[in-house]
Amino acid sequence: MSSPLIVLPRPGTAPSSDAAQPIPAPSEAAFVATFGNRLPPASYLQTPHGKAAYYELLPSSSTSTDGPQRVSRVLFVHGVQTPAIGLQPLASALSSRFPSAHCVLVDLWGHGLTETPFVAHDPALFHGLLEALLVHLGWADAHFIGYSFGGSTTASFAAAHPERVASIGLVAPAGLRRTALLNKVQRDYLRGGEELEKAARDWILEVLEGGRLVVPSDWKERVGRGEVVAEAVRDWEIKEHAGHVASVVAIFRDGGVFDKHAEFAKAAMTGIKCRCVLGELDDLCSMQDLHELGLRDVVVVPQVGHGVVRERVPEVAGFIEDFWNRL
């Protein structure tokens, strides 16, 4: 890993005055030159913590047969590492099935074209971004689709701000791994410390990747055919976004990847309708985990793991479509 070691503040600590400015994100032109125009042109939201990028799939029809609740506002919240473009295939599929819906994807802090604020990356930081985006869009509420870490963020946002959430779709949600099951070295990596930071960074990236990051040799050809090659996107962020790795490490430690059982249970108790879509081979979250927390509407896509959101788009979109049509 050749990128400089940047360590963000932890919850409960104040950033030093000489590092208070957010770390800039790459340009849209650089991203499009590499990955094409799969996403709509970026729009930007300025917040007290920094500038965030979002992308709008506007309604293609003014009339709707989208079911009894007329799904009209949808917010997609991505996971750690792969930014909004990773949810573009699902968002496009649902946009075509619900042509009167206004669908918005957002790059979370430190991802894609969004800056890295030099502050603790706790759930409240991401809740603040989602709230600021809803205000900016003029939306009273939205139907949320959260994938992986975005699922954990969506669940905890719904628990904290139920009035802002019309319904919840969780796809392969993170948040239910327990730190108590980690070994001492791993727990030390989560706690951090100057002498541990490089080893902790390398371990976290390897855990998230399931090994070393390997970019397919044919990724350019696949991008040219219109595919989203997530490994190539992640590699680009590591090399081109100066704050990306720092945000990833901070999210893994403090953002809600672990021990969010109480927040999921609270979200379930709000009464907001929720459907969870899991990959059968994904060990991050199980149907039993969700049932125990009060989330009963769980469907499973067979023979696929955590990448279900991109690898099995028609099935995931179908499960969400069925859910929305029954609201």
Side-chain angles (χ1 to χ4, degrees), residues 132-304:
L133 182 55
L134 290 173
V135 170
H136 179 73
L137 293 169
W139 289 4
D141 60 17
H143 299 269
F144 278 69
I145 301 293
Y147 167 65
S148 193
F149 165 68
S152 173
T153 300
T154 293
S156 59
F157 182 80
H161 305 281
E163 74 283 356
R164 288 301 218 173
V165 182
S167 75
I168 303 170
L170 302 180
V171 184
L176 301 182
R177 296 181 70 175
R178 296 184 184 274
T179 52
L181 299 180
L182 300 175
N183 63 41
K184 181 184 182 304
V185 171
Q186 293 166 340
R187 290 196 297 272
D188 286 343
Y189 286 157
L190 287 186
R191 282 192 290 270
E194 186 174 349
E195 72 285 353
L196 291 175
E197 287 304 325
K198 184 181 183 304
R201 177 188 65 180
D202 294 346
W203 172 71
I204 288 169
L205 291 176
E206 191 159 309
V207 168
L208 289 170
E209 196 63 43
R212 294 185 63 83
L213 174 60
V214 178
V215 180
S217 59
D218 64 346
W219 73 268
K220 290 184 179 179
E221 291 79 6
R222 290 168 58 185
V223 167
R225 295 195 297 267
E227 291 185 43
V228 175
V229 184
E231 297 89 348
V233 175
R234 296 195 287 268
D235 184 63
W236 183 89
E237 288 179 301
I238 289 170
K239 293 173 179 174
E240 303 297 332
H241 193 317
H244 172 67
V245 172
S247 280
V248 167
V249 171
I251 287 169
F252 191 83
R253 283 173 164 163
D254 302 316
V257 173
F258 293 94
D259 300 326
K260 290 298 162 186
H261 301 75
E263 286 79 1
F264 275 74
K266 187 175 179 181
M269 291 176 64
T270 63
I272 299 168
K273 298 294 186 182
C274 176
R275 165 157 281 191
C276 306
V277 182
L278 306 181
E280 178 188 19
L281 307 179
D282 189 1
D283 62 1
L284 198 64
C285 178
S286 72
M287 181 182 290
Q288 181 179 345
D289 291 334
L290 295 166
H291 283 179
E292 289 175 352
L293 297 170
L295 297 168
R296 296 290 178 179
D297 186 354
V298 184
V299 291
V300 177
V301 181
Q303 298 181 323
V304 66

Side-chain angles (χ1 to χ4, degrees), residues 65-68 71 98 320-327:
T65 56
D66 294 350
V71 171
F98 293 82
I320 299 297
E321 178 184 21
D322 173 68
F323 169 61
W324 282 350
N325 281 335
R326 292 188 291 105
L327 289 175

